[in-house]
Amino acid sequence: MLLRNKGITLILCLISLASVTFIARLSSRRGSSAPDWLPALHLRPIDACPDKLDWLAGLNLTYPIRYAHRDVVVNPTPGLERASITKLDASLFPKFQTIDLSEDVKVSLRHCEKPYLLSVPALVKGSSDASHIIFGISTTLKRLDASLPSLLRWLPHTNAKLFVIVIESEQIVESEGVERVDAVAADPQQKAELQGRMRGLGMDVTLVEPLELQESFSIKYFSLIETLYSNRDDKTKWISLLDDDTFFPSIPALVTMLAKYDTTQEYYVGALSEIWWAVAHYGMMGFGGAGIFLSIPLAEIMNNSYPICIEASHTSAGDIRIMECIYLLTETKLTYERDLHQVDVHADLSGVFEGGRMPLSLHHWKAGAASLNGYNIPMMHLVADVCGDCFLQRWQFGSEMVLTNGYSLALYPKGKLKGTDMEKMEETWDEVPPVENSFNSGTDHSLGPTRRRMMLEEEKIQYVLIDSAVTEMGVRQSYLHSGVDGDIDSLLELLWIEGKRVNDGG
């Protein structure tokens, strides 16, 4: 959460905002007028109508452009549960104004509105404590360094431990018709420097060498079992294997999910692929990118039989080795947690992001994975600094607009929203491989129920997040719709500001 005011600053805020009512009349049971909530401002009161938009200079926009903005004051409400979509009667934005900042960032905005008060679930104190989880990753030093922006969004100050098996590089070479691994160890000085940097950022991380440098990547991944189990302590209840692009939007939500399991028993928790073809091909296993969670009793069995599992499996995939070992040694089967996401669907992931579901994990978001250009999940997730578990939360404003927080603002013109079942996920992704003679159409088990893809510009006008930044006031988001058929672009901006009770001491 952002810094809160005390003393004089709070008094000034109260005086400046005494005439402002931060009330959004809600059309659902989740509404709250909450008149005792005001912005916790760091430096100055809200300027609902700024005369300078200098931050737009860094967005590479084409002028002239249609522009509108609104400040949103967040009201963290204890006991409030996140819904798939929350319907609000009032509109979110004022009228558009055409602006041209190609020569001067100063502008006279004519259409300004008072801040919008928005209720969100309040985080429970201590819910971010993940000291009972040890995470593990196997990757290269370069990829780990590149993953810092995403790790910074969820790992620091959670008390969770992270062990990373790092090497410099690995390739498969052939000699006299025999394939072998040619791996290069990570430079010790570079490894120590990166570990120190990560620890300085609040991450309890330890970089380690592989047990056997010239073993395959799948065996290095599987060897995390031994590394994590041997580094457990009295608090440890789970060991978790990840990919270097596994992203957890909410550690409190993850902790809550795991808390329902009796960790004195053997548990293998994870997610199936979203694609039924992959499940039919690889098996009922936890796909690694979504995160695999093993209770300590199960990890103990696997650790004690480590050589047996190594010899019994010949796959090139580490997560398959995990499954094979568990099914070889125990009667434990995968417990499927649907909100953990491997993200094996490709191309346009709008339907996944706009589905209204709170993801416990995301994967394949980097460029070249599920989509050509990828998705900047760390940037999209910045708004969580202000509103907690509100990432990808949906609100409907009026009869036409839906905000998916951190991804898009979508307009549904001519009553299209009224006739759309928003509880179903829109199939925006590419067609998935079929499974012959299967009653599963492809993603029924994971993303269903689904609905057809809507026609952009006709049935749905999408403003996609192009930038998000932490400012002295809060978190600013910029959503862009590119003009079609010669029309100019349109930009909608939200400034999210942390709310605070008037009688709070800070």
Side-chain angles (χ1 to χ4, degrees):
M1 292 289 183
L2 301 176
L3 292 175
R4 301 183 176 208
N5 278 15
K6 292 184 180 180
I8 296 175
T9 306
L10 179 58
I11 296 172
L12 290 175
C13 290
L14 292 172
I15 295 173
S16 302
L17 298 170
S19 63
V20 180
T21 303
F22 299 105
I23 300 177
R25 185 165 60 90
L26 309 187
S27 62
S28 73
R29 64 179 177 81
R30 293 167 53 83
S32 171
S33 58
D36 57 341
W37 279 83
L38 292 173
L41 304 180
H42 179 49
L43 292 178
R44 57 186 174 83
I46 295 174
D47 182 359
C49 208
D51 60 1
K52 191 175 182 181
L53 305 176
D54 51 322
W55 60 86
L56 296 184
L59 300 188
N60 196 29
L61 301 171
T62 301
Y63 294 104
I65 193 171
R66 278 189 288 269
Y67 178 83
H69 92 281
R70 189 76 180 269
D71 296 330
V72 177
V73 176
V74 172
N75 172 7
T77 306
L80 185 64
E81 295 183 1
R82 171 169 167 163
S84 170
I85 188 167
T86 300
K87 297 181 180 181
L88 310 174
D89 288 341
S91 60
L92 179 57
F93 288 98
K95 295 179 180 179
F96 274 119
Q97 178 175 338
T98 300
I99 62 174
D100 188 342
L101 306 185
S102 56
E103 295 184 0
D104 192 348
V105 296
K106 291 186 177 181
V107 63
S108 177
L109 294 179
R110 299 187 301 273
H111 310 300
C112 302
E113 297 283 352
K114 296 175 182 178
Y116 204 119
L117 180 74
L118 208 54
S119 295
V120 299
L123 293 178
V124 178
K125 185 176 181 180
S127 60
S128 294
D129 181 16
S131 56
H132 57 306
I133 307 173
I134 304 180
F135 294 106
I137 297 172
S138 179
T139 188
T140 65
L141 203 62
K142 182 178 180 180
R143 284 184 63 93
L144 179 62
D145 196 4
S147 297
L148 282 189
S150 61
L151 290 170
L152 274 170
R153 293 302 308 158
W154 63 266
L155 182 59
H157 312 297
T158 60
N159 300 318
K161 294 181 176 65
L162 171 64
F163 285 82
V164 188
I165 295 174
V166 289
I167 60 174
E168 179 64 30
S169 63
E170 178 179 302
Q171 60 180 339
I172 304 298
V173 297
E174 185 175 330
S175 178
E176 298 181 355
V178 178
E179 290 186 347
R180 63 176 180 83
V181 176
D182 181 17
V184 178
D187 178 84
Q189 185 174 347
Q190 293 180 357
K191 187 173 66 173
E193 186 276 330
L194 180 56
Q195 176 178 281
R197 188 150 42 99
M198 295 177 73
R199 288 181 175 179
L201 293 169
M203 295 182 243
D204 187 351
V205 60
T206 304
L207 307 190
V208 299
E209 297 177 356
L211 297 180
E212 295 289 341
L213 178 62
Q214 299 306 332
E215 291 286 12
S216 68
F217 173 80
S218 68
I219 293 181
K220 290 186 180 74
Y221 178 92
F222 184 80
S223 73
L224 284 167
I225 298 292
E226 186 171 319
T227 299
L228 302 184
Y229 183 77
S230 64
N231 283 282
R232 72 194 187 284
D233 58 28
D234 292 340
K235 291 183 178 180
T236 308
K237 296 181 179 180
W238 298 95
I239 65 172
S240 176
L241 287 74
L242 316 175
D243 286 359
D244 56 26
D245 59 343
T246 302
F247 187 90
F248 295 115
S250 170
I251 287 296
L254 182 69
V255 168
T256 298
M257 181 274 287
L258 292 174
K260 66 188 178 185
Y261 296 105
D262 177 4
T263 51
T264 65
Q265 305 300 311
E266 299 166 20
Y267 274 105
Y268 170 32
V269 177
L272 300 172
S273 170
E274 290 82 4
I275 299 176
W276 189 241
W277 178 91
V279 178
H281 188 74
Y282 298 110
M284 297 291 291
M285 65 176 230
F287 282 69
I292 296 172
F293 295 85
L294 307 175
S295 64
I296 291 301
L298 180 58
E300 181 180 14
I301 294 172
M302 299 172 71
N303 181 72
N304 291 343
S305 301
Y306 183 84
I308 296 174
C309 290
I310 291 294
E311 291 298 321
S313 178
H314 301 285
T315 179
S316 61
D319 48 7
I320 296 179
R321 282 185 177 271
I322 299 293
M323 173 191 68
E324 289 179 333
C325 181
I326 294 171
Y327 293 172
L328 174 68
L329 300 174
T330 77
E331 295 184 358
T332 303
K333 304 303 177 188
L334 176 72
T335 299
Y336 175 29
E337 282 289 346
R338 185 186 182 203
D339 293 325
L340 296 170
H341 285 286
Q342 170 75 4
V343 191
D344 277 342
V345 290
H346 292 158
D348 184 0
L349 301 185
S350 292
V352 175
F353 294 135
E354 295 176 342
R357 303 170 191 170
M358 173 69 182
L360 292 177
S361 67
L362 293 168
H363 180 234
H364 282 158
W365 50 271
K366 292 185 177 180
S371 66
L372 181 63
N373 297 319
Y375 297 88
N376 191 341
I377 293 292
M379 180 193 73
M380 292 164 56
H381 188 257
L382 282 178
V383 71
D385 287 357
V386 173
C387 54
D389 285 354
C390 63
F391 176 56
L392 300 182
Q393 186 171 353
R394 296 189 303 179
W395 288 273
Q396 177 182 330
F397 297 91
S399 60
E400 292 190 346
M401 176 175 283
V402 174
L403 166 66
T404 299
N405 197 8
Y407 182 70
S408 70
L409 282 154
L411 291 176
Y412 297 83
K414 302 177 182 179
K416 294 295 182 183
L417 186 56
K418 185 177 182 180
T420 301
D421 186 350
M422 297 298 286
E423 297 302 319
K424 294 182 177 181
M425 188 173 288
E426 184 184 358
E427 293 186 2
T428 60
W429 51 86
D430 283 355
E431 186 176 355
V432 302
V435 176
E436 188 175 356
N437 299 323
S438 174
F439 290 102
N440 188 325
S441 65
T443 59
D444 297 346
H445 66 291
S446 58
L447 302 180
T450 60
R451 54 185 169 86
R452 68 170 181 83
R453 182 198 301 258
M454 303 191 79
M455 295 180 63
L456 291 178
E457 307 305 325
E458 293 186 18
E459 298 177 296
K460 174 182 175 182
I461 301 171
Q462 192 180 49
Y463 294 72
V464 178
L465 186 79
I466 61 166
D467 187 65
S468 184
V470 176
T471 75
E472 63 183 23
M473 296 285 290
V475 173
R476 184 178 57 246
Q477 297 173 327
S478 304
Y479 296 89
L480 180 70
H481 174 259
S482 298
V484 295
D485 298 330
D487 195 11
I488 63 175
D489 298 345
S490 301
L491 187 72
L492 293 171
E493 289 201 316
L494 293 173
L495 177 62
W496 293 80
I497 301 167
E498 183 185 357
K500 174 183 177 180
R501 286 194 185 278
V502 172
N503 60 0
D504 255 358

